[in-house]
Amino acid sequence: MARPALFRIWRGNPEGGAFQDFKTEVDAGMVVLDAVHRIQAAQAPDLAVRWNCKAGKCGSCSAEINGMPRLMCMTRMGQLNLDMPVVIEPMHAFPLIRDLVTDVSWNFQVKKKIKKFKPRTPDAPDGTWRMRQADVDRVQEFRKCIECFLCQDVCHVLREHRKYDEFIGPRYFVYTAALEMHPLDTESRIAGLKNDHGVGYCNITTCCRQVCPESITITENAIIPLKERVVDEYFDPFRKLLRIIR
Amino acid sequence: MATPELLWKNGRFGQTSRRDAWWLPPASVLIGLSVFLVYANWAAWQNAHYTFGPYLSPFYSPELFGDSPHALFGPKPAWYPRFLPFSPALLILWIPGLFRLTCYYYRGAYYKAFWADPPACAVSEPRNVYLGERSLPLILQNSHRFFLRLSYPVWAFLAWDAIKSYRFSDGFGIGLGSLILTANVILLGGYVFGCHAFRHLIGGVYDRLAERPVRHKLYQCVSCLNGDHMKWAWSSLFSVGFADLYVRLCSMGIWTDWRIL
């Protein structure tokens, strides 16, 4: 059933900007991205918005809707209180390009700093490996990441404290966990996690897990296990002793 | 690598575009933990009314030294410094206390509730300086697994107390207190054995875990408990406080223990 709704959308560029109000009709089943497209088509053809698949799989339409980082294409209008203006802002943790579009290239620079996958020597003469399905399943969850960077946006270490040089953020802890826990991998990234990638900055707010559109259990399955591996290496003399004895 | 130039500046404390009651979860944690801390401290210093019949308050268990028949090594030893106040709870309560203090779930919860770091997701903080758990004092949170190891025997003693709570002076029986102490042990077990550090130590440390079938099975069980760690944490916190209150009020004659069998 169609009904009018008020959208308060951030318009601006790196120098500054302001919210602009748009009234439009919303229909049953619409998502926020549909409404933004309707506004773009009828009222603001110069409104910049990045999108691609409209199916929650490309991670392009990340924004902040009523203050929470979300994918515009996965936020149904029915989830929002339309008696109040729907506030749409670009992600706060990344430099603004225009309107709702941010420059997320910092993330791709971070990825380059993480040690690459280094498999053990092949298990079979034909150069192939053998892995147990259960071990593969454990890291498979991390491969669901669509790199929408909502977790990076909501993480207060980046968003509030701007530790861009010392902290790689939840997305790249997930990436590191996928490599570090891989049954074939032989590389160690523990020293890097502690010293350069700032896993110690994470204070387990679980905000990253709460905003993940792929429902990856970021905090419990990726970050905490990495923190525990750092503890194994640097803060647990008993375990170290046990390893020497063995 | 260049730090990105951001348009958005850190806002005032509490600034956010969020419309929901974001303050409600941290406020609930603040109230819940504060009430427990005040009660647990008061109860621990009492050194009285911590036993009733076969029941022993979980705050006082294991009772290493004390005046009750539950004491493992008899009354307060002569070597105990005179200037230090004595209560059997003070000798033991630091273990579960520090285990909970360094627990991954509680850390995330009390950083928000007591230190507003952050107050809630996507809500501005009151300060710009941030050290995280990288340097003192919070780097000490890495000691969580030590308190986990100390918590195993404490839990085992509580389990033994729960078994003993069915042994009344006239033989086997079931009192409401027996059921409360049993429920408490189950809830504490769910919390201790669903701990993130335990999950890591039992199997998470191995990349090829499936090659160790026993550890793999245990890891799956612990992961199952770990999925509801927050619920176990709160329910066991409530149960341990209530079990002490029940024993205390029965001992003071305010409540009467309901003997079911």
Side-chain angles (χ1 to χ4, degrees), chain B residues 60-66 70-75 77 86 88 91-92 157:
Chain B
Y60 286 74
S61 179
E63 187 184 2
L64 300 176
F65 300 102
H70 298 273
L72 297 174
F73 306 112
F86 178 78
L91 301 178
I92 210 72
F157 274 106

Side-chain angles (χ1 to χ4, degrees), chain B residues 9-26:
Chain B
K9 302 300 171 208
N10 291 340
R12 299 181 319 274
F13 173 39
Q15 187 179 315
T16 182
S17 302
R18 283 180 66 170
R19 294 273 177 69
D20 56 336
W22 58 264
W23 49 270
L24 192 58

